[in-house]
Amino acid sequence: MCFTEQPSMPQQLLVLDAIVTESSVTVQWTPGFNGGEDQWFMIGYKKAADETWTYINISSTGTQLNIGELVSGTMHEVKMHAENIIGKSDETTVFSVTTKSGISGMF
């Protein structure tokens, strides 16, 4: 008999520093155990000053995501969790990343 459970929390969520721009950051992670079911990932992000998180749903095969349309020179917070048909994992620790500043400002 096979028992299934909610997935394990994704591990090693981090920003690829070489891919931080004025309007985007790229994050990567290592999937945890899927609980015996297909899993997917939910990445949450927001400006540090904001209350509301925006979530992006990533398929189970993804381990990297470019988060775009961010505000230049602004600190953003990122977190994630895994989900399957049984439930969802714990959330990762929230971390902060600051987008690069535009040198010449608005055009």
Side-chain angles (χ1 to χ4, degrees):
M1 188 172 204
C2 183
F3 292 100
T4 56
E5 60 190 18
Q6 64 198 44
S8 299
M9 182 176 68
Q11 303 296 313
Q12 299 166 331
L13 176 63
L14 54 86
V15 170
L16 299 176
D17 290 329
I19 317 180
V20 173
T21 70
E22 292 175 23
S23 62
S24 71
V25 298
T26 297
V27 296
Q28 74 176 23
W29 63 92
T30 302
F33 175 59
N34 65 9
E37 298 286 347
D38 289 338
Q39 70 179 343
W40 57 92
F41 304 103
M42 296 297 288
I43 308 243
Y45 67 96
K46 68 180 183 78
K47 284 194 293 192
D50 289 352
E51 297 284 321
T52 307
W53 290 88
T54 299
Y55 284 92
I56 302 173
N57 185 333
I58 309 297
S59 74
S60 63
T61 56
T63 58
Q64 187 169 306
L65 174 70
N66 181 271
I67 303 171
E69 300 179 20
L70 301 179
V71 180
S72 171
T74 302
M75 182 181 290
H76 295 79
E77 294 180 340
V78 180
K79 65 181 179 180
M80 75 178 296
H81 66 268
E83 292 186 19
N84 65 18
I85 61 171
I86 309 295
K88 68 181 205 174
S89 72
D90 291 335
E91 291 188 335
T92 61
T93 302
V94 173
F95 71 86
S96 299
V97 56
T98 302
T99 49
K100 293 191 171 161
S101 294
I103 295 166
S104 54
M106 300 299 280
F107 293 103

